[in-house]
Amino acid sequence: MAAAPAERAPLVFTHRENNTERVAALCETAGGLGLKTGMGLADARAMHPSIEVVARDPDANRAMLEGLADWCDRYTPLVAMDEPDGLFLDISGCAHLFGGEKAMLDDCLTRLFHQGFAVSAGLASTPGAAWAAAHHGHEPAIEPGAEAEALAPMPLAALRIPPATREGLHAVGLRCAGAVIAAPRAPLARRFGRDLLVRIDQALGRIDEPVSPRLPVATLSAERSLTEPVTGTEQVEHLAGMLAASLKPALEERGEGARALELALFRVDGAVARIALGTARPLRDPALVRRLFHERLAALESDLDSGFGFELLRLSVLASGPFDSRQSDLGGDNGKVTDSVAGFADRVAARFGSGGIMVPVAVESHIPERAVEYRSFIPDRPANPAKDYDGGEEPGRLLPERPIRLFSNPEPVEAVAEVPEGPPVTFRWRRALHRVAKAEGPERIAPEWWRSENDAVRDYYRIEDEAGRRYWLYRSGLYGTGGETPRWFMHGFFA
Amino acid sequence: MAVTAVAQETLCALRRQIARIEGVPAARLEPPADARRPQPADDGATVILRENGCAASLPEGMRMGAARVMATGIPDFDTLLGGGLPLAALSEIVAADTRDGGAAAGFALALALIAMADTGARDRLLLWIGEAEAFREAGRPYAPGLAATFGLAPRRLLFARARRLADALWIAEEAGRLPALGAVIVEIRGNPHRLDLTATRRLHRRAILAGRPVLLVRQAGMPEPTAAPVRLHVTAASAAERMVLDRPLPGSIGRPAFTITIDKSPTARPGSIAMEWNRDDQRLQSRQPPNPGLVVSPSRQRPGAAPAPRPRLADGRRAG
């Protein structure tokens, strides 16, 4: 695949190989001048001093190919990369949507041509034969069953075999693919290895060759292609709602709701934008889906460039979960997710990314900063009396004194204590000096030895300064153990 | 701070004038006999309710909600506020220093819990929205501490950390529609331009419509004009000593205590009151003066001695 030439100097791309600049790719004009890939740059310059030389950029090449693969998603969800310059499209079961294989191929080639790509395509019932037709064939389409016949006149390279094997076959007089296919298999395998036979079998469809898609294939998806491209956010939202409505029966049939959704927007100029969002509880109501995309699009507004408009939209269900149907009351608005906290959490997450609404979850640890984790919202959290600090509702239990605010990273303070093991008398935190009026403690919290051996023992003090503010300070380490000098840290505020 | 009777009179006249212009019934200067009873909205026939410049009648629920107050449980404080803190309204809680972030958050939580108890929503959720910077500078809310100090189970807590103020305001407004929430705390830092009269007015309106308080906690900020009818200034106060076996334990740190200064209120009465949070009764109470303890030990055998007091538990609760 090479970029179509414009009226300009012959263009060659070079790459470095064994300390020599070599031509990696060239344009048609340069090809017409007798330049070839693989020749040294110095030779090429000597032949044609006017050529324009650009260093090859494999990353940009790959990004371009990925962009194209994204664009090809419109034909089939099974698109695989064939580096460095090819794509495999598994169109089984998709061709009828475009009016047959031939029409689909024509449509694809026409669109790519208008985007400025010179593409050669192959269409066959096996990936190997299609590859051969694309690279070395005269006719793009190979009828099922006619692979051997079509491959016969092609060069050895059409069998996707490494150059060393090719040279070996050439040396024994097998000069085209047909000759290799017709040759007895046992001597071939003995001399050139099993890989050659595997390639032949793959091309002829005797064994299966899996094409591994680059993106996971969605369980369900609905798409809509538009005659007139849309640009406005409201229109995109509206279409997302319509697509969600067409997905709803399929989800109902499966008894599921969507947990993760992706809206793919195919722009007229070939760029594809993908907007993904997750939900706290499985949902299938089109209005809610539309609402979530409304938030997401509002947050993306500046990042989503609609250019000349989107011509194809696809909504895919990337993950689904069992949908618990609820009996609504006669008012009809019972269990409405719009009003529920889960719906709220979804909207916040859709707008600001995951981790919008967080809930504290108790963790089995006595180290204060590890005792609680903040996770994104989970609906219907079961009450867990063993792990929830249900101090207020369980009168018999006495909870340890803990600050209401905790610094995720304890901040160092300079403290002066009367006795080494005692509470501080004054301490300096964030450049301000605090005089201690009252202190309670220490509460000794030992490190979790099963995690790390380097953590020091902490002695926590509840401290009230002269202004009445209450802090949680700790001394890390002990005196007289020969280790590091103990240091003081501020870890939190009490109410 | 002596306000003469004439000045008070002038002030009242001006306030009535403002109330007429704003279309809001003027709050009474005296607390109503029953603070929980909704005030009659047709306080004066001259009050015209306006909406967007046109005379409009507010929905009944909204009018009732706007007038409803929650008594904090401290009579002096409630009197100064004219019966209590407005229940369905935006209330501003300002702490001058980041160091007072603990006291400000504690007082806001106390008010939220009182409001939830007042509306009969003890099992509802509490949403705490904070700017990322506020959480970074004054620490993140710590669930075990909230459970220990306020008896708030972690499953009743929702946190949102917003990267920007605009995000925090969006979440707060979006939360306005949720009936499952009992109170919303919005914590911000300093005096951002975005949080102007319009933004606070939107929050206030959401609070009125939802019938529950939105508490705006401002860390390290200066008082500035907002739409909140009440602004309270919080500083930490020295905690009373812990009661152990019916007598204070010297040198101990007892219940959380705050000094609340009324900066702005419908009654415009200034005042400063020290109070403390009683976790066991889930209410605020005046801070007990330092108890001198028993000076003379009473004789056990004297005639007519009071029955022995029931032993108290270490954290101040009564046994039994």
Side-chain angles (χ1 to χ4, degrees), chain A residues 361-386:
Chain A
V361 179
V363 177
E364 294 282 359
S365 174
H366 60 270
I367 302 291
E369 63 264 33
R370 284 206 202 105
V372 68
E373 263 179 22
Y374 292 90
R375 303 209 181 124
S376 34
F377 180 78
I378 325 140
D380 307 328
R381 259 183 304 163
N384 184 350

PDB file of all heavy atoms in Angstrom, chain A residues 361-386:
ATOM      1  N   VAL A 361     -14.739   1.027  51.362  1.00  0.00           N
ATOM      2  CA  VAL A 361     -14.883  -0.395  51.623  1.00  0.00           C
ATOM      3  C   VAL A 361     -13.823  -0.775  52.651  1.00  0.00           C
ATOM      4  O   VAL A 361     -12.641  -0.475  52.467  1.00  0.00           O
ATOM      5  CB  VAL A 361     -14.687  -1.207  50.332  1.00  0.00           C
ATOM      6  CG1 VAL A 361     -14.817  -2.688  50.616  1.00  0.00           C
ATOM      7  CG2 VAL A 361     -15.688  -0.788  49.287  1.00  0.00           C
ATOM      8  N   ALA A 362     -14.263  -1.394  53.717  1.00  0.00           N
ATOM      9  CA  ALA A 362     -13.325  -1.769  54.770  1.00  0.00           C
ATOM     10  C   ALA A 362     -12.454  -2.920  54.297  1.00  0.00           C
ATOM     11  O   ALA A 362     -12.917  -3.831  53.620  1.00  0.00           O
ATOM     12  CB  ALA A 362     -14.089  -2.160  56.017  1.00  0.00           C
ATOM     13  N   VAL A 363     -11.188  -2.863  54.654  1.00  0.00           N
ATOM     14  CA  VAL A 363     -10.230  -3.874  54.252  1.00  0.00           C
ATOM     15  C   VAL A 363      -9.613  -4.436  55.518  1.00  0.00           C
ATOM     16  O   VAL A 363      -9.466  -3.738  56.513  1.00  0.00           O
ATOM     17  CB  VAL A 363      -9.137  -3.230  53.352  1.00  0.00           C
ATOM     18  CG1 VAL A 363      -8.091  -4.238  52.969  1.00  0.00           C
ATOM     19  CG2 VAL A 363      -9.754  -2.616  52.135  1.00  0.00           C
ATOM     20  N   GLU A 364      -9.249  -5.711  55.463  1.00  0.00           N
ATOM     21  CA  GLU A 364      -8.638  -6.340  56.625  1.00  0.00           C
ATOM     22  C   GLU A 364      -7.213  -5.848  56.791  1.00  0.00           C
ATOM     23  O   GLU A 364      -6.278  -6.414  56.238  1.00  0.00           O
ATOM     24  CB  GLU A 364      -8.621  -7.861  56.440  1.00  0.00           C
ATOM     25  CG  GLU A 364      -9.971  -8.516  56.405  1.00  0.00           C
ATOM     26  CD  GLU A 364     -10.577  -8.677  57.779  1.00  0.00           C
ATOM     27  OE1 GLU A 364      -9.918  -8.289  58.756  1.00  0.00           O
ATOM     28  OE2 GLU A 364     -11.702  -9.166  57.858  1.00  0.00           O
ATOM     29  N   SER A 365      -7.051  -4.780  57.529  1.00  0.00           N
ATOM     30  CA  SER A 365      -5.709  -4.290  57.805  1.00  0.00           C
ATOM     31  C   SER A 365      -5.795  -3.361  58.994  1.00  0.00           C
ATOM     32  O   SER A 365      -6.775  -2.641  59.160  1.00  0.00           O
ATOM     33  CB  SER A 365      -5.157  -3.550  56.588  1.00  0.00           C
ATOM     34  OG  SER A 365      -3.925  -2.959  56.918  1.00  0.00           O
ATOM     35  N   HIS A 366      -4.772  -3.388  59.826  1.00  0.00           N
ATOM     36  CA  HIS A 366      -4.809  -2.474  60.965  1.00  0.00           C
ATOM     37  C   HIS A 366      -3.968  -1.235  60.698  1.00  0.00           C
ATOM     38  O   HIS A 366      -3.910  -0.339  61.522  1.00  0.00           O
ATOM     39  CB  HIS A 366      -4.353  -3.184  62.233  1.00  0.00           C
ATOM     40  CG  HIS A 366      -2.969  -3.725  62.150  1.00  0.00           C
ATOM     41  ND1 HIS A 366      -2.709  -4.996  61.704  1.00  0.00           N
ATOM     42  CD2 HIS A 366      -1.778  -3.161  62.400  1.00  0.00           C
ATOM     43  CE1 HIS A 366      -1.402  -5.192  61.722  1.00  0.00           C
ATOM     44  NE2 HIS A 366      -0.814  -4.100  62.128  1.00  0.00           N
ATOM     45  N   ILE A 367      -3.292  -1.176  59.583  1.00  0.00           N
ATOM     46  CA  ILE A 367      -2.561   0.040  59.217  1.00  0.00           C
ATOM     47  C   ILE A 367      -3.600   1.067  58.766  1.00  0.00           C
ATOM     48  O   ILE A 367      -4.396   0.782  57.871  1.00  0.00           O
ATOM     49  CB  ILE A 367      -1.577  -0.258  58.068  1.00  0.00           C
ATOM     50  CG1 ILE A 367      -0.598  -1.342  58.457  1.00  0.00           C
ATOM     51  CG2 ILE A 367      -0.841   1.010  57.645  1.00  0.00           C
ATOM     52  CD1 ILE A 367       0.398  -0.960  59.516  1.00  0.00           C
ATOM     53  N   PRO A 368      -3.622   2.231  59.396  1.00  0.00           N
ATOM     54  CA  PRO A 368      -4.753   3.143  59.140  1.00  0.00           C
ATOM     55  C   PRO A 368      -4.999   3.435  57.666  1.00  0.00           C
ATOM     56  O   PRO A 368      -6.138   3.410  57.215  1.00  0.00           O
ATOM     57  CB  PRO A 368      -4.352   4.404  59.901  1.00  0.00           C
ATOM     58  CG  PRO A 368      -3.451   3.948  60.958  1.00  0.00           C
ATOM     59  CD  PRO A 368      -2.729   2.755  60.433  1.00  0.00           C
ATOM     60  N   GLU A 369      -3.948   3.727  56.901  1.00  0.00           N
ATOM     61  CA  GLU A 369      -4.205   4.116  55.517  1.00  0.00           C
ATOM     62  C   GLU A 369      -4.621   2.935  54.650  1.00  0.00           C
ATOM     63  O   GLU A 369      -5.126   3.124  53.552  1.00  0.00           O
ATOM     64  CB  GLU A 369      -2.993   4.832  54.914  1.00  0.00           C
ATOM     65  CG  GLU A 369      -1.738   4.007  54.804  1.00  0.00           C
ATOM     66  CD  GLU A 369      -0.804   4.236  55.990  1.00  0.00           C
ATOM     67  OE1 GLU A 369      -1.334   4.476  57.096  1.00  0.00           O
ATOM     68  OE2 GLU A 369       0.415   4.147  55.806  1.00  0.00           O
ATOM     69  N   ARG A 370      -4.410   1.704  55.167  1.00  0.00           N
ATOM     70  CA  ARG A 370      -4.817   0.553  54.366  1.00  0.00           C
ATOM     71  C   ARG A 370      -6.152  -0.001  54.816  1.00  0.00           C
ATOM     72  O   ARG A 370      -6.685  -0.910  54.182  1.00  0.00           O
ATOM     73  CB  ARG A 370      -3.774  -0.565  54.499  1.00  0.00           C
ATOM     74  CG  ARG A 370      -2.555  -0.279  53.688  1.00  0.00           C
ATOM     75  CD  ARG A 370      -1.856  -1.577  53.312  1.00  0.00           C
ATOM     76  NE  ARG A 370      -0.468  -1.285  53.014  1.00  0.00           N
ATOM     77  CZ  ARG A 370       0.540  -1.568  53.834  1.00  0.00           C
ATOM     78  NH1 ARG A 370       0.311  -2.193  54.981  1.00  0.00           N
ATOM     79  NH2 ARG A 370       1.756  -1.252  53.514  1.00  0.00           N
ATOM     80  N   ALA A 371      -6.676   0.516  55.910  1.00  0.00           N
ATOM     81  CA  ALA A 371      -7.877  -0.083  56.484  1.00  0.00           C
ATOM     82  C   ALA A 371      -9.120   0.184  55.653  1.00  0.00           C
ATOM     83  O   ALA A 371     -10.152  -0.441  55.842  1.00  0.00           O
ATOM     84  CB  ALA A 371      -8.093   0.437  57.901  1.00  0.00           C
ATOM     85  N   VAL A 372      -9.022   1.109  54.743  1.00  0.00           N
ATOM     86  CA  VAL A 372     -10.194   1.424  53.931  1.00  0.00           C
ATOM     87  C   VAL A 372      -9.741   1.690  52.507  1.00  0.00           C
ATOM     88  O   VAL A 372      -8.662   2.225  52.262  1.00  0.00           O
ATOM     89  CB  VAL A 372     -10.967   2.627  54.544  1.00  0.00           C
ATOM     90  CG1 VAL A 372     -10.172   3.892  54.449  1.00  0.00           C
ATOM     91  CG2 VAL A 372     -12.316   2.795  53.918  1.00  0.00           C
ATOM     92  N   GLU A 373     -10.558   1.235  51.590  1.00  0.00           N
ATOM     93  CA  GLU A 373     -10.276   1.470  50.178  1.00  0.00           C
ATOM     94  C   GLU A 373     -11.453   2.196  49.580  1.00  0.00           C
ATOM     95  O   GLU A 373     -12.590   1.976  49.981  1.00  0.00           O
ATOM     96  CB  GLU A 373     -10.133   0.129  49.445  1.00  0.00           C
ATOM     97  CG  GLU A 373      -8.726  -0.331  49.284  1.00  0.00           C
ATOM     98  CD  GLU A 373      -8.667  -1.669  48.576  1.00  0.00           C
ATOM     99  OE1 GLU A 373      -9.632  -2.010  47.866  1.00  0.00           O
ATOM    100  OE2 GLU A 373      -7.665  -2.363  48.761  1.00  0.00           O
ATOM    101  N   TYR A 374     -11.175   3.035  48.611  1.00  0.00           N
ATOM    102  CA  TYR A 374     -12.268   3.721  47.936  1.00  0.00           C
ATOM    103  C   TYR A 374     -12.461   3.072  46.582  1.00  0.00           C
ATOM    104  O   TYR A 374     -11.544   3.028  45.785  1.00  0.00           O
ATOM    105  CB  TYR A 374     -11.960   5.212  47.822  1.00  0.00           C
ATOM    106  CG  TYR A 374     -11.966   5.852  49.175  1.00  0.00           C
ATOM    107  CD1 TYR A 374     -10.815   5.930  49.936  1.00  0.00           C
ATOM    108  CD2 TYR A 374     -13.143   6.318  49.723  1.00  0.00           C
ATOM    109  CE1 TYR A 374     -10.834   6.472  51.206  1.00  0.00           C
ATOM    110  CE2 TYR A 374     -13.173   6.859  50.985  1.00  0.00           C
ATOM    111  CZ  TYR A 374     -12.016   6.937  51.722  1.00  0.00           C
ATOM    112  OH  TYR A 374     -12.050   7.464  52.986  1.00  0.00           O
ATOM    113  N   ARG A 375     -13.637   2.534  46.364  1.00  0.00           N
ATOM    114  CA  ARG A 375     -13.909   1.876  45.094  1.00  0.00           C
ATOM    115  C   ARG A 375     -15.040   2.609  44.406  1.00  0.00           C
ATOM    116  O   ARG A 375     -15.817   3.309  45.050  1.00  0.00           O
ATOM    117  CB  ARG A 375     -14.343   0.429  45.340  1.00  0.00           C
ATOM    118  CG  ARG A 375     -13.301  -0.314  46.129  1.00  0.00           C
ATOM    119  CD  ARG A 375     -13.311  -1.786  45.796  1.00  0.00           C
ATOM    120  NE  ARG A 375     -12.299  -2.458  46.613  1.00  0.00           N
ATOM    121  CZ  ARG A 375     -12.543  -3.476  47.415  1.00  0.00           C
ATOM    122  NH1 ARG A 375     -13.760  -3.972  47.478  1.00  0.00           N
ATOM    123  NH2 ARG A 375     -11.599  -4.017  48.115  1.00  0.00           N
ATOM    124  N   SER A 376     -15.115   2.386  43.114  1.00  0.00           N
ATOM    125  CA  SER A 376     -16.225   3.040  42.432  1.00  0.00           C
ATOM    126  C   SER A 376     -17.529   2.365  42.835  1.00  0.00           C
ATOM    127  O   SER A 376     -17.551   1.218  43.280  1.00  0.00           O
ATOM    128  CB  SER A 376     -16.036   3.037  40.926  1.00  0.00           C
ATOM    129  OG  SER A 376     -15.389   1.884  40.525  1.00  0.00           O
ATOM    130  N   PHE A 377     -18.587   3.104  42.663  1.00  0.00           N
ATOM    131  CA  PHE A 377     -19.876   2.735  43.235  1.00  0.00           C
ATOM    132  C   PHE A 377     -20.358   1.364  42.770  1.00  0.00           C
ATOM    133  O   PHE A 377     -20.321   1.046  41.593  1.00  0.00           O
ATOM    134  CB  PHE A 377     -20.908   3.787  42.853  1.00  0.00           C
ATOM    135  CG  PHE A 377     -22.258   3.505  43.397  1.00  0.00           C
ATOM    136  CD1 PHE A 377     -22.537   3.779  44.716  1.00  0.00           C
ATOM    137  CD2 PHE A 377     -23.228   2.950  42.598  1.00  0.00           C
ATOM    138  CE1 PHE A 377     -23.780   3.503  45.228  1.00  0.00           C
ATOM    139  CE2 PHE A 377     -24.468   2.668  43.105  1.00  0.00           C
ATOM    140  CZ  PHE A 377     -24.741   2.949  44.420  1.00  0.00           C
ATOM    141  N   ILE A 378     -20.782   0.548  43.713  1.00  0.00           N
ATOM    142  CA  ILE A 378     -21.376  -0.749  43.412  1.00  0.00           C
ATOM    143  C   ILE A 378     -22.789  -0.689  43.982  1.00  0.00           C
ATOM    144  O   ILE A 378     -22.944  -0.380  45.157  1.00  0.00           O
ATOM    145  CB  ILE A 378     -20.640  -1.905  44.113  1.00  0.00           C
ATOM    146  CG1 ILE A 378     -19.147  -1.608  44.189  1.00  0.00           C
ATOM    147  CG2 ILE A 378     -20.951  -3.236  43.496  1.00  0.00           C
ATOM    148  CD1 ILE A 378     -18.515  -2.002  45.489  1.00  0.00           C
ATOM    149  N   PRO A 379     -23.794  -0.954  43.159  1.00  0.00           N
ATOM    150  CA  PRO A 379     -25.148  -0.903  43.723  1.00  0.00           C
ATOM    151  C   PRO A 379     -25.420  -2.095  44.637  1.00  0.00           C
ATOM    152  O   PRO A 379     -24.758  -3.128  44.545  1.00  0.00           O
ATOM    153  CB  PRO A 379     -26.042  -0.943  42.487  1.00  0.00           C
ATOM    154  CG  PRO A 379     -25.214  -1.563  41.433  1.00  0.00           C
ATOM    155  CD  PRO A 379     -23.783  -1.279  41.745  1.00  0.00           C
ATOM    156  N   ASP A 380     -26.373  -1.909  45.499  1.00  0.00           N
ATOM    157  CA  ASP A 380     -26.842  -2.970  46.401  1.00  0.00           C
ATOM    158  C   ASP A 380     -25.701  -3.590  47.193  1.00  0.00           C
ATOM    159  O   ASP A 380     -25.504  -4.794  47.161  1.00  0.00           O
ATOM    160  CB  ASP A 380     -27.575  -4.079  45.620  1.00  0.00           C
ATOM    161  CG  ASP A 380     -28.669  -3.498  44.764  1.00  0.00           C
ATOM    162  OD1 ASP A 380     -29.230  -2.481  45.187  1.00  0.00           O
ATOM    163  OD2 ASP A 380     -28.926  -4.048  43.686  1.00  0.00           O
ATOM    164  N   ARG A 381     -24.957  -2.741  47.853  1.00  0.00           N
ATOM    165  CA  ARG A 381     -23.899  -3.297  48.686  1.00  0.00           C
ATOM    166  C   ARG A 381     -24.523  -4.015  49.860  1.00  0.00           C
ATOM    167  O   ARG A 381     -25.334  -3.441  50.588  1.00  0.00           O
ATOM    168  CB  ARG A 381     -23.013  -2.180  49.221  1.00  0.00           C
ATOM    169  CG  ARG A 381     -21.739  -2.050  48.456  1.00  0.00           C
ATOM    170  CD  ARG A 381     -20.913  -0.988  49.089  1.00  0.00           C
ATOM    171  NE  ARG A 381     -21.632   0.259  49.159  1.00  0.00           N
ATOM    172  CZ  ARG A 381     -21.269   1.254  49.942  1.00  0.00           C
ATOM    173  NH1 ARG A 381     -20.237   1.131  50.724  1.00  0.00           N
ATOM    174  NH2 ARG A 381     -21.935   2.376  49.942  1.00  0.00           N
ATOM    175  N   PRO A 382     -24.203  -5.262  50.066  1.00  0.00           N
ATOM    176  CA  PRO A 382     -24.763  -5.918  51.238  1.00  0.00           C
ATOM    177  C   PRO A 382     -24.082  -5.389  52.492  1.00  0.00           C
ATOM    178  O   PRO A 382     -22.893  -5.084  52.488  1.00  0.00           O
ATOM    179  CB  PRO A 382     -24.418  -7.388  51.004  1.00  0.00           C
ATOM    180  CG  PRO A 382     -23.247  -7.371  50.097  1.00  0.00           C
ATOM    181  CD  PRO A 382     -23.311  -6.121  49.291  1.00  0.00           C
ATOM    182  N   ALA A 383     -24.865  -5.251  53.536  1.00  0.00           N
ATOM    183  CA  ALA A 383     -24.281  -4.824  54.800  1.00  0.00           C
ATOM    184  C   ALA A 383     -23.411  -5.952  55.327  1.00  0.00           C
ATOM    185  O   ALA A 383     -23.835  -7.112  55.367  1.00  0.00           O
ATOM    186  CB  ALA A 383     -25.393  -4.495  55.793  1.00  0.00           C
ATOM    187  N   ASN A 384     -22.216  -5.647  55.679  1.00  0.00           N
ATOM    188  CA  ASN A 384     -21.292  -6.654  56.159  1.00  0.00           C
ATOM    189  C   ASN A 384     -20.847  -6.246  57.553  1.00  0.00           C
ATOM    190  O   ASN A 384     -19.927  -5.458  57.717  1.00  0.00           O
ATOM    191  CB  ASN A 384     -20.102  -6.729  55.195  1.00  0.00           C
ATOM    192  CG  ASN A 384     -19.146  -7.822  55.582  1.00  0.00           C
ATOM    193  OD1 ASN A 384     -19.259  -8.403  56.667  1.00  0.00           O
ATOM    194  ND2 ASN A 384     -18.211  -8.096  54.711  1.00  0.00           N
ATOM    195  N   PRO A 385     -21.531  -6.760  58.576  1.00  0.00           N
ATOM    196  CA  PRO A 385     -21.259  -6.262  59.921  1.00  0.00           C
ATOM    197  C   PRO A 385     -19.832  -6.542  60.363  1.00  0.00           C
ATOM    198  O   PRO A 385     -19.273  -5.801  61.152  1.00  0.00           O
ATOM    199  CB  PRO A 385     -22.281  -6.991  60.787  1.00  0.00           C
ATOM    200  CG  PRO A 385     -22.840  -8.074  59.955  1.00  0.00           C
ATOM    201  CD  PRO A 385     -22.550  -7.788  58.536  1.00  0.00           C
ATOM    202  N   ALA A 386     -19.216  -7.594  59.823  1.00  0.00           N
ATOM    203  CA  ALA A 386     -17.857  -7.899  60.247  1.00  0.00           C
ATOM    204  C   ALA A 386     -16.888  -6.862  59.719  1.00  0.00           C
ATOM    205  O   ALA A 386     -15.902  -6.526  60.353  1.00  0.00           O
ATOM    206  CB  ALA A 386     -17.459  -9.286  59.757  1.00  0.00           C
TER     207      ALA A 386
END
